[in-house]
Amino acid sequence: MEKWNKISLYSVLFLFVFFLSGCGNKQKKEFNRLLVELADADATIDAGDWKKITDYLDSHQAKWHEFYKDGQINADAVTEYISQFFSHRRPPKEIAFIGIGEKEYFTVNFYLERSGSMTPYDAPHGDGSFKAAIVQLLNNLPGNNDDNRIYVVNSSVNKYPQGFSKFISDPNIFESTKGLGDPSYTDFSKIFTDLLNKTGKNELSILVTDMIYSTKSMLGINPQKVFAEAQGMTNAVFKAQVKDKSMLIIKMRGSYQGPYYSYNAPSTGKNYSGYRPYYIVIVGSNANMARLSKDKNYASFCHFSELRGYQNMYLFDTNGIYHPYYSLLLNDPKIRGRFHPEHGQGTQITRIKDISPDKNSGDLRLALAVDLSGMFIDDHYLTDPSNYQISSDDDLVIKEIKRISSRDVKPNERQYLGSATHLFILEMKQVSHDQDVAIQLVNRLPGWVQSSSNDDDTNLSNGNFSNTTFGLKYLLQGIYDSYQKNSDGTPYYFKMDLKFSK
């Protein structure tokens, strides 16, 4: 009888719990469907997704009181629910949260350099590539352009009085901005100070410039003195603020029809017809720059390589702006040796044990799946093993970095691939004892900066003139030195931590 009473009690409790969970089951399924619709494909909840989630919860607040605190949405509770929901799906996913609780769109401060050596990029007889790239860039910005601001810069920073729409539709942007500031020189100290100090929490700043350092009186000055001044200027401007700000430099190429002012003749231009480099500089907080490449609202804007005249790009940052998904695989054909994953890791394997080298080759090879998408880093740089710094007790090398193809997606490995785009093949002779392993993508000035710089711009017929900028490497080196000084060691883009146990 006592046994029967216990069974009856458990049955009643089970039915009671089932009834309670069933009451909200429809609402829960509806909310979960919304989450799948928003985040299943890209494993990301961005600011736009977050607005849809909060709008849904606000309209059903009575059913989701556990997500509210003092009448306000508790973001931690909601993100925890979302993370748990996706971690229990098949295959499980780790969700990235980008721009949660921030404005859906950034306010943009657009700065156009209007100096004597910039106006020929939009000359009537040019091919229109400069204006086309600028218009495409600005048109790809989401949201209301009326919230954005335009400045014309040279000797000073001047607000453009007529707004975004007029600027974009203007047939000659340099003609309509005539009279704003002194075009005979560019005060980069003032411009970069504004970019670093006046780019707010929900803002991006964009500068279009030829990156030619000039001062009020250049006549007769030794170019080496100019380079030293340029490097000193950037060291003075780029101080502690760079810990919180990232800067993307995009090298562009546009037609140039008009006078060019060499360093030794700043007042006497020589006519030049051909192509010249110019640069798009984008500045934002580290969080905003990381969000920019993941936020679906900015997908079109971030396709910089599709801009007319695009050539290269480079991202300045201090440490760890990106946090990619990565996991060791267990059955890839390139694996050699034996090991087991430590328990309790789910489908993202970063800790392995019982490691022994392959009996035939005498070494150990591991396959590490990594998501290298959504980064403002050139693909050649990302896939060059020499750009990675490895910290381990036993020697570990990256033998190969290759893009994951359909042939690499085996059914028994799919769950560990997650959002990975590339395979890193790691090799070591032995694991002599338990150890932590760190793999960092080092942030260093790319080779194109050196090849895009010249120390003498007086010979316009020089074959290199069309592809180089006077003193560029000194200006960018000064910026890099400041980022390096404010980094914890060598600047890096991301770090992957692994643990090997003997």
Side-chain angles (χ1 to χ4, degrees), residues 32 88 96 112 124 141 182 211 216 225 229 232 267 280 286 306 313 316 322 326 351 355 364-365 371 414 424 465 480:
N32 290 346
H88 289 97
L112 173 70
L141 284 168
D182 181 356
M211 291 292 277
K216 204 166 188 178
K225 186 175 187 299
E229 283 184 13
S267 302
I280 298 172
N286 294 334
E306 296 178 6
M313 65 179 169
F316 291 96
Y322 296 120
Y326 59 95
R351 305 188 308 274
I355 303 170
L364 176 74
R365 277 199 177 180
D371 184 359
R414 190 185 301 274
F424 285 51
F465 180 75
Y480 181 84

Side-chain angles (χ1 to χ4, degrees), residues 29-308:
K29 284 182 177 178
E30 190 176 87
F31 183 52
N32 290 346
R33 277 197 300 270
L34 174 64
L35 297 180
V36 170
E37 176 189 322
L38 295 176
D40 193 52
D42 62 0
T44 300
I45 296 290
D46 59 28
D49 296 333
W50 186 252
K51 186 176 187 310
K52 292 174 184 175
I53 289 169
T54 55
D55 285 348
Y56 175 85
L57 292 174
D58 284 342
S59 63
H60 300 85
Q61 187 170 346
K63 304 283 178 110
W64 294 97
H65 56 85
E66 66 267 35
F67 288 157
Y68 286 82
K69 186 176 182 180
D70 300 326
Q72 301 295 318
I73 284 182
N74 183 341
D76 290 340
V78 179
T79 55
E80 176 65 20
Y81 177 91
I82 295 171
S83 295
Q84 289 296 319
F85 170 69
F86 280 99
S87 72
H88 289 97
R89 283 175 60 78
R90 289 293 174 264
K93 282 187 172 68
E94 184 175 347
I95 300 299
F97 295 93
I98 307 293
I100 300 305
E102 306 291 347
K103 287 173 57 180
E104 186 172 4
Y105 305 118
F106 297 120
T107 297
V108 171
N109 305 304
F110 181 78
Y111 297 80
L112 173 70
E113 181 188 349
R114 191 194 185 286
S115 62
S117 55
M118 281 292 292
T119 56
Y121 285 103
D122 196 33
H125 300 298
D127 67 4
S129 55
F130 175 84
K131 179 70 183 297
I134 302 307
V135 169
Q136 182 181 347
L137 182 75
L138 297 181
N139 277 335
N140 283 341
L141 284 168
N144 187 353
N145 277 337
D146 292 338
D147 294 334
N148 301 326
R149 300 178 283 264
I150 294 182
Y151 301 90
V152 175
V153 298
N154 37 52
S155 64
S156 54
V157 176
N158 313 277
K159 191 162 185 179
Y160 179 73
Q162 300 187 61
F164 246 68
S165 298
K166 177 68 170 69
F167 182 84
I168 290 172
S169 62
D170 201 313
N172 191 324
I173 55 178
F174 288 118
E175 183 63 30
S176 63
T177 54
K178 186 182 288 186
L180 294 176
D182 181 356
S184 66
Y185 74 102
T186 304
D187 189 346
F188 276 111
S189 176
K190 169 65 176 169
I191 295 166
F192 282 129
T193 298
D194 271 26
L195 289 175
L196 288 173
N197 296 331
K198 295 188 177 180
T199 303
K201 180 181 178 183
N202 288 303
E203 295 183 347
L204 291 176
S205 291
I206 303 173
L207 166 67
V208 175
T209 172
D210 61 8
M211 291 292 277
I212 299 176
Y213 179 78
S214 59
T215 59
K216 204 166 188 178
S217 55
M218 294 274 288
L219 192 63
I221 295 179
N222 185 308
Q224 294 304 318
K225 186 175 187 299
V226 176
F227 304 149
E229 283 184 13
Q231 202 159 335
M233 179 275 295
T234 51
N235 274 319
V237 171
F238 287 76
K239 294 182 179 177
Q241 297 96 320
V242 302
K243 288 183 178 179
D244 305 313
K245 293 285 197 314
S246 296
M247 175 178 288
L248 180 66
I249 307 286
I250 305 169
K251 183 185 178 185
M252 304 289 293
R253 182 174 183 260
S255 70
Y256 190 103
Q257 305 285 329
Y260 178 84
Y261 300 86
S262 301
Y263 82 89
N264 66 343
S267 302
T268 309
K270 297 179 184 177
N271 195 57
Y272 176 78
S273 177
Y275 285 93
R276 290 283 300 147
Y278 68 96
Y279 303 85
I280 298 172
V281 182
I282 302 177
V283 175
S285 69
N286 294 334
N288 285 352
M289 199 64 80
R291 169 187 165 185
L292 192 62
S293 58
K294 293 286 187 182
D295 193 326
K296 290 188 288 289
N297 290 320
Y298 287 88
S300 296
F301 174 75
C302 290
H303 288 159
F304 303 124
S305 61
E306 296 178 6
L307 295 175
R308 186 174 172 185

Side-chain angles (χ1 to χ4, degrees), residues 361-491:
S361 64
D363 62 7
L364 176 74
R365 277 199 177 180
L366 303 171
L368 181 67
V370 185
D371 184 359
L372 297 182
S373 65
M375 300 181 188
F376 297 131
I377 307 170
D378 182 78
D379 190 60
H380 295 294
Y381 193 93
L382 280 169
T383 55
D384 183 349
S386 67
N387 291 325
Y388 290 83
Q389 185 178 79
I390 298 174
S391 173
S392 61
D393 294 342
D394 293 309
D395 287 340
L396 174 69
V397 296
I398 301 173
K399 295 295 291 183
E400 178 187 8
I401 301 174
K402 55 166 281 191
R403 181 168 288 278
I404 293 174
S405 68
S406 57
R407 295 191 301 275
D408 299 309
V409 184
K410 306 291 190 299
N412 58 349
E413 291 283 49
R414 190 185 301 274
Q415 61 180 325
Y416 304 113
L417 287 171
S419 59
T421 58
H422 289 73
L423 281 183
F424 285 51
I425 306 304
L426 312 178
E427 183 178 284
M428 58 197 313
K429 293 296 183 185
Q430 63 173 350
V431 177
S432 59
H433 58 269
D434 296 356
Q435 57 194 272
D436 295 321
V437 174
I439 302 173
Q440 294 179 339
L441 177 60
V442 176
N443 180 345
R444 56 170 66 99
L445 278 176
W448 69 258
V449 171
Q450 175 79 24
S451 61
S452 300
S453 183
N454 71 60
D455 288 5
D456 186 343
D457 63 349
T458 57
N459 184 2
L460 278 56
S461 60
N462 185 308
N464 249 349
F465 180 75
S466 64
N467 191 52
T468 56
T469 298
F470 178 68
L472 178 72
K473 65 182 179 183
Y474 304 99
L475 195 65
L476 296 190
Q477 185 66 54
I479 298 174
Y480 181 84
D481 290 345
S482 294
Y483 273 90
Q484 186 174 38
K485 185 168 59 178
N486 285 281
S487 298
D488 182 15
T490 303

